[in-house]
Amino acid sequence: MLVHSRAARLAHRTLFLLLVVPVFALPLLMVVGASFADRWDGALPSAFTAAHYVDLGRGQSLDALVTSLSTALVAGLAALTVGGWAALAARGTGRRLRQLLDGLFMLPLAVPSVVVGLALLVAFSKPPLLLNGTTTIVLLAHTVLVTSFAYQSVRAAIGRLDPALEQSAAGLGAPPAQVLRRVTLPLLLPSLTAAFGLCFALSMGELSATMMLYPPDWLPLPVRIFAATDRGALFTGAALAVALIASTLVVLAATARLRTRASYR
């Protein structure tokens, strides 16, 4: 502990709560309160209802939730495959090529997502690669936006691997593919699950590029939340936002459980 006295620790914790509660916890609690509000006249809701949640299990709301979950699942797996493969490939390359790969995969982090959406729209709006107005371009945009996080996570995990384990397996006569399958990937499994969870969560909340690319029959949940609040249905939008947070947390909890089990194997 950097702070030793009891009074200093108390002041440190109080300052932490004063900063964290208004900035992080209070806005989320207000969203949850709004999702149950039937009328809001003052600082807090003056009447409550669960009607906004009843609509989540049917119609366009349910379709939007399924669309977001499937989009995030596909984009997360694709990003993990591409980013993980690139991170593994970068390990065996020279310093300059490795720096080039690092810069290439860092690029989507430096570019706003709306610019990535515009770039894909321009690139795939004419034959022979005509993807404008299809679900494929939405999945592609999400994959491009989250692959950087998968690459960085796996890259950092590879840097912490003990090379003696792979060298021992290779010294016992195991071919490279078997070393990768039986030694490297099992050791990386906790980081791979963590990277997938991060990519999934980021894809679930992606809005800017999606707004530019989504087809009319492929409406993700963030777009539906934006549309609901834009037309004044604030309480419905809040209920949709709570559903988005809850579904993301469920998947993150599942991946955390898998990561914990993989760490003890």
Side-chain angles (χ1 to χ4, degrees):
M1 290 285 291
L2 296 176
V3 181
H4 297 286
S5 71
R6 183 176 179 181
R9 285 201 301 270
L10 181 61
H12 184 264
R13 291 168 183 169
T14 303
L15 179 61
F16 177 76
L17 289 176
L18 288 176
L19 291 175
V20 169
V21 171
V23 175
F24 297 101
L26 194 57
L28 294 177
L29 290 176
M30 295 300 282
V31 171
V32 174
S35 69
F36 287 101
D38 188 36
R39 193 172 64 254
W40 196 315
D41 298 325
L44 295 172
S46 51
F48 293 92
T49 180
H52 310 304
Y53 285 96
V54 175
D55 295 335
L56 293 179
R58 61 192 180 195
Q60 294 182 343
S61 297
L62 181 59
D63 293 340
L65 178 59
V66 173
T67 298
S68 281
L69 288 171
S70 55
T71 302
L73 179 64
V74 173
L77 290 175
L80 189 62
T81 303
V82 175
W85 170 78
L88 286 166
R91 185 174 57 161
T93 61
R95 185 173 62 87
R96 290 193 175 183
L97 183 56
R98 195 162 53 245
Q99 289 176 341
L100 180 64
L101 280 174
D102 289 346
L104 180 65
F105 280 94
M106 286 291 289
L107 195 58
L109 295 179
V111 177
S113 57
V114 67
V115 177
V116 174
L118 178 61
L120 292 174
L121 196 63
V122 172
F124 299 115
S125 289
K126 291 185 178 180
L129 294 174
L130 180 58
L131 300 178
N132 189 9
T134 66
T135 58
T136 303
I137 197 170
V138 180
L139 295 172
L140 183 60
H142 282 231
T143 302
V144 170
L145 289 170
V146 302
T147 297
S148 299
F149 297 94
Y151 175 79
Q152 295 298 330
S153 298
V154 179
R155 182 100 162 77
I158 290 174
R160 294 193 297 269
L161 282 182
D162 185 358
L165 296 172
E166 296 171 298
Q167 291 169 1
S168 299
L172 292 172
Q178 190 174 9
V179 173
L180 176 66
R181 183 170 57 87
R182 301 294 296 272
V183 178
T184 307
L185 290 181
L187 290 173
L188 291 176
L189 191 56
S191 299
L192 293 175
T193 53
F196 172 76
L198 178 61
C199 294
F200 183 91
L202 292 170
S203 177
M204 283 290 288
E206 211 295 314
L207 176 63
S208 301
T210 309
M211 288 287 289
M212 303 183 67
L213 301 170
Y214 77 95
D217 58 343
W218 187 264
L219 187 68
L221 201 51
V223 178
R224 182 156 174 77
I225 294 171
F226 178 82
T229 55
D230 190 50
R231 65 171 186 265
L234 182 63
F235 302 150
T236 301
L240 292 169
V242 172
L244 177 66
I245 295 170
S247 55
T248 304
L249 289 178
V250 167
V251 176
L252 288 179
T255 55
R257 187 176 177 82
L258 289 174
R259 185 172 67 251
T260 303
R261 294 180 63 180
S263 300
Y264 284 104
R265 288 183 62 184

